[in-house]
Amino acid sequence: MLTCKEQVARSSDYLDAQLTFRERLLVRHHLMFCPNCRRFIRQMRLMQATLRIMPDEPVQDADALAERLAAQRRKGV
């Protein structure tokens, strides 16, 4: 079984589907038994989703953007 440190090192590749079949199995096995790493993966997925919906250009009103992102998160978007 992977250690938490090894799991964290593979997290980005896991979320980007860049692991081999064997590596994916090792990661999933670890996640089955480690609630802290499951929480970490959930946080990384949330971060990826947030970054995908952020605009590419600088935002004039950052407070309005933060409120819009929070509202979308509450809606489950």
Side-chain angles (χ1 to χ4, degrees):
M1 188 160 115
L2 296 176
T3 65
C4 292
K5 187 174 182 177
E6 293 168 329
Q7 167 66 32
V8 168
R10 287 179 168 85
S11 294
S12 291
D13 290 338
Y14 174 71
L15 292 173
D16 294 338
Q18 295 180 344
L19 296 179
T20 65
F21 179 74
R22 182 179 182 280
E23 289 172 321
R24 280 194 318 270
L25 287 178
L26 288 171
V27 168
R28 289 179 182 173
H29 183 260
H30 180 86
L31 292 174
M32 285 175 52
F33 295 100
C34 185
N36 292 327
C37 287
R38 283 195 305 270
R39 185 178 318 112
F40 179 76
I41 290 291
R42 279 194 307 270
Q43 290 170 344
M44 286 196 62
R45 282 188 175 130
L46 176 60
M47 180 184 63
Q48 284 181 332
T50 301
L51 290 173
R52 274 194 295 274
I53 62 173
M54 296 237 358
D56 291 332
E57 66 280 346
V59 176
Q60 298 300 327
D61 188 5
D63 291 332
L65 174 62
E67 182 56 39
R68 189 185 71 184
L69 291 173
Q72 288 178 346
R73 175 68 182 139
R74 285 190 293 270
K75 291 179 185 177
V77 174

